[in-house]
Amino acid sequence: MPDVQALVNEFLNKLKKRKIEGSQATAKQTAELLRSVISQQRVPRTNQAGALIDAVRAIGEQLIVANPIELAVGNIVRRVLHIIREEDLSLTTAAVAELNLSTVSDDDDDGGGGDQDDRPVLSAAAVAAAARNTLRPPSLQMLLEGAPDFVAVPRSSSSGGDSEGKSKSMDRNSRTRKLKHDIIEAVNELIQDITTCHELIAEQAVEHIHQNEVILTLGSSKTVLEFLCAAKEKKRSFRVFVAEGAPRYQGHLLAKELVARGLQTTLITDSAVFAMISRVNMVIVGSHAVMANGGVIAPVGMNMVALAAQKHAVPFVVLAGSHKLCPLYPHNPEVLLNELRSPSELLDFGEFSDCLDFGSGDGSPLLHVVNPTFDYVPPKAVSLFITDTGGHNPSYMYRLIADYYSADDLVVQRRHAAGN
C-alpha cells in the first residue's frame, strides 16, 4: 500500500500547480485521499475519534493552503470531519444504551424489583450528553470502562476477572475496527454522491424546462450540459443561448457539445447578454461554490448575467452538487473570493512587451492586465438552487449546509487563524 505522506505530497503538488480542474474532480480526489489517511491511521486505545479528527485536520490544513480558491477541498475536509463525529456519536450512543439495557436485564434476572428505583434508566438526553463528551476527556473507553455514576455496573464473581479483562480488550479492539469501518463506508458514500451528482441533478431537468423555452447559460459546465441534455431526452424542444465566457471561451466548448447532442444552440458574445436577455425564459448556470448565505462564486461574467436576468425578471437558476456547498460566508477571512489568471489569456507576450516603458529606465509597464477568474453573485440575484437533493430557495441554503458540517470544524486552519 502506498505511503500516505507520499500520496499527500503528490496531491499537494497537483493543487499548487493547478493540475486538477473542476470542483467535482477536486472534491472526489480529496475524499479518496482522506479515506486513505483514515484507513492507514493508527489510533490509540482511548479517544479514537479525536485521533482521527486530528489526523484529518492536519492533512486538510495543508490541502486548503495549497489551493485556497478551490473551496471544494475545504468542503470535503469538513464533511469528513463531520462524518467522524457522527459515526463516533452513533457508536457511543449505541454502546451506552447497550450498557443501560444490560443493567436493566440484570436487575430483572435478580428479581429485585425494589433495586430498580436505585438504578434509573438513562434518558435520551443523558445518552446524547454522554456521547457528545467522547471527543473530550473522559474518552469513550473511560466512559464505558470507568462506569459513570448514573450507570450501574453488573456484579461479577472474582473468578471471572481475567476473562472480563480479555473481554474488555476484545471489545476495545472491535470498537476501534467498527469505528474506522463505519467512517470509511460513509466516506465511500460521499465519494459516490460526488460521482453521481450530475445524474441526480439532471433527473430534475424535466420539472424546470418546458416546451419551446429559450435558455441562457454562460461558459462551460458539465452539470449544465447534462441538465439540458436530460430535458432533451424527455422530448422537450427548446433553444439554448450560450455566452462564450471570455477570455477562456469555455462557451465554445459547451456549444459544440450541445450541438453534438442535437440541441438548437446559439453562441453569443458576453457583451450581448443584455441585448438578448429579453428573449430568454430562464437562465441556467453552473457554479464554483455556494456560500452559506446563498451567494454564489461563479465564472467571471456571471454577475453581469445575473443583473441582466434580475432587470428583466428572468429566473436565474444555479446548479450545484452538494460538494460545492460551503459552510463559510463571503466575508470570512478563510475565504479567497478570487484569483488572477495569466495575462497571456488576454494578450500575447510580444504585445505585452511592447507596452513596457523602456524610456523610464526601470522598465515598469504602462499597461496593466487584470484577468480575474470568478465573480460573486449575491443571493438576492438567485431565484433557485438545484442540487442533488432537490430544489431550494437561497434563504434555505444555510439550513441545508448545516446538515453536512459541524460547527467545530468550520475553521480548519487553526494555526494560521491564530497567527493572524
Side-chain angles (χ1 to χ4, degrees):
M1 183 174 293
D3 179 59
V4 171
Q5 192 56 47
L7 294 176
V8 172
N9 292 337
E10 181 183 358
F11 191 58
L12 285 173
N13 289 331
K14 290 182 179 179
L15 290 176
K16 291 177 181 178
K17 296 178 180 179
R18 306 300 193 262
K19 290 187 175 181
I20 307 175
E21 286 202 3
S23 297
Q24 185 190 32
T26 306
K28 184 177 179 180
Q29 293 187 40
T30 301
E32 291 172 345
L33 175 65
L34 295 180
R35 180 181 60 185
S36 299
V37 171
I38 294 170
S39 177
Q40 300 187 35
Q41 178 68 28
R42 292 187 176 183
V43 295
R45 291 187 174 184
T46 60
N47 198 16
Q48 292 99 355
L52 291 175
I53 287 174
D54 290 341
V56 171
R57 188 185 294 277
I59 300 298
E61 186 174 4
Q62 299 178 54
L63 300 180
I64 293 173
V65 171
N67 190 357
I69 194 62
E70 187 53 83
L71 296 177
V73 174
N75 294 344
I76 297 303
V77 171
R78 297 180 181 95
R79 288 280 295 270
V80 172
L81 290 173
H82 179 68
I83 286 173
I84 296 174
R85 296 181 187 276
E86 288 293 302
E87 294 300 333
D88 182 65
L89 176 63
S90 176
L91 283 178
T92 305
T93 304
V96 175
E98 184 179 351
L99 272 180
N100 180 61
L101 291 175
S102 64
T103 301
V104 174
S105 176
D106 288 343
D107 289 342
D108 292 340
D109 293 341
D110 292 341
D115 294 341
Q116 292 183 3
D117 294 335
D118 298 332
R119 298 176 181 177
V121 177
L122 294 181
S123 65
V127 171
R132 284 193 297 270
N133 288 332
T134 57
L135 296 181
R136 314 178 187 91
S139 66
L140 171 60
Q141 283 68 32
M142 301 245 338
L143 178 66
L144 297 179
E145 297 170 11
D149 294 335
F150 53 80
V151 178
V153 180
R155 294 181 297 274
S156 60
S157 62
S158 58
S159 61
D162 294 339
S163 62
E164 182 180 354
K166 294 180 181 179
S167 176
K168 285 184 178 181
S169 178
M170 293 177 61
D171 290 344
R172 185 186 304 118
N173 293 333
S174 64
R175 280 196 298 272
T176 302
R177 291 193 298 270
K178 175 67 172 172
L179 177 62
K180 292 182 67 172
H181 176 270
D182 290 351
I183 291 172
I184 291 174
E185 285 297 312
V187 174
N188 286 336
E189 293 179 5
L190 172 60
I191 294 173
Q192 182 64 23
D193 291 342
I194 296 172
T195 304
T196 61
C197 69
H198 295 319
E199 291 80 359
L200 295 176
I201 294 174
E203 289 176 358
Q204 307 170 57
V206 70
E207 303 173 9
H208 300 279
I209 298 179
H210 305 290
Q211 195 73 8
N212 298 324
E213 285 191 332
V214 178
I215 309 297
L216 172 66
T217 188
L218 171 72
S220 179
S221 167
K222 183 179 178 182
T223 309
V224 172
L225 172 65
E226 297 299 332
F227 191 83
L228 297 175
C229 291
K232 175 68 165 54
E233 293 172 359
K234 297 295 183 180
K235 307 304 180 183
R236 292 283 195 265
S237 178
F238 56 95
R239 175 178 290 275
V240 183
F241 287 172
V242 181
E244 60 184 358
R248 300 183 70 192
Y249 302 108
Q250 295 292 307
H252 295 182
L253 301 177
L254 178 62
K256 291 179 181 179
E257 293 179 350
L258 290 175
V259 170
R261 300 278 194 101
L263 278 82
Q264 300 181 46
T265 306
T266 302
L267 184 66
I268 64 174
T269 62
D270 297 335
S271 57
V273 167
F274 263 96
M276 305 298 292
I277 194 69
S278 60
R279 300 174 55 185
V280 172
N281 301 106
M282 182 185 301
V283 176
I284 300 178
V285 296
S287 62
H288 177 72
V290 178
M291 310 307 294
N293 66 335
V296 180
I297 299 178
V300 67
M302 196 66 76
N303 193 44
M304 174 190 65
V305 177
L307 290 174
Q310 193 175 35
K311 180 71 175 178
H312 290 264
V314 174
F316 186 86
V317 179
V318 177
L319 310 182
S322 57
H323 59 278
K324 295 184 179 182
L325 306 183
C326 181
L328 304 177
Y329 290 83
H331 61 267
N332 288 142
E334 300 85 6
V335 177
L336 182 61
L337 284 177
N338 222 323
E339 185 176 54
L340 297 181
R341 298 184 64 87
S342 172
S344 63
E345 293 181 348
L346 299 178
L347 291 176
D348 293 334
F349 283 114
E351 298 177 19
F352 187 70
S353 63
D354 293 339
C355 299
L356 294 176
D357 183 16
F358 293 103
S360 64
D362 58 359
S364 60
L366 296 176
L367 174 66
H368 295 270
V369 179
V370 179
N371 183 17
T373 305
F374 300 110
D375 259 349
Y376 173 72
V377 181
K380 64 180 181 181
V382 180
S383 305
L384 180 69
F385 286 99
I386 300 178
T387 72
D388 39 333
T389 61
H392 308 283
N393 291 325
S395 60
Y396 183 76
M397 295 309 293
Y398 82 98
R399 293 287 302 274
L400 180 64
I401 289 173
D403 294 336
Y404 294 122
Y405 304 98
S406 298
D408 294 336
D409 303 322
L410 297 186
V411 180
V412 178
Q413 301 163 267
R414 294 191 182 278
R415 291 195 297 271
H416 293 275
N420 292 336

